Amino acid sequence: MFSKLRSILILLVLLVGGPVMLYVGFKEAKDSKALADHGVTAEAQVTEVTWSTKRGRERNFHAKITFATPDGKSVSDSVSLSNDQGKALRDQPDDKPAVLSVKYLPEDPHTVTLADHKDESGLFYGIGAVMLLVGLGMLVFRLRK
């Protein structure tokens, strides 16, 4: 009974998670294309660096940033950092304010990412497609069984 429940849960995760990952890939591609096309570069002040620790390893670094748009509007948001970049910002002395170069969309300043961000939509598309195909395969197998 437990194995049947577990396989149904895995099937649901695959069938729901696949389209979600495809959507995330679509949004990533759309945002990356817009940022590359007409994104504005700005210098952002880092106000806080957060991370999580799992099994003694620090990861998932995020920086809370603030920057000003050309029309004077102040924007506060958060960006993801690599582990090396996050550790360097976290260990920086407090007397020297940390600054990051970011890119944002003028029509939506809260769509912001690091200036050297690479488009990772292909990864999300691949993971979503594999999840969906495996889920559909499992569903067909279970229905034929």
Side-chain angles (χ1 to χ4, degrees), residues 60-119:
N60 297 332
F61 283 87
H62 293 279
K64 292 184 181 175
I65 58 169
T66 59
F67 62 94
T69 61
D71 59 358
K73 181 180 172 188
S74 180
V75 179
S76 296
D77 216 319
S78 177
V79 293
S80 295
L81 303 170
S82 67
N83 285 348
D84 294 336
Q85 200 174 23
K87 288 177 184 177
L89 283 174
R90 177 197 61 195
D91 297 339
Q92 194 168 14
D94 289 337
D95 60 340
K96 183 180 176 190
V99 177
L100 288 174
S101 182
V102 297
K103 233 178 188 182
Y104 68 93
L105 292 178
E107 64 272 13
D108 181 17
H110 289 284
T111 301
V112 62
T113 186
L114 294 176
D116 61 351
H117 175 75
K118 303 287 186 264
D119 182 10

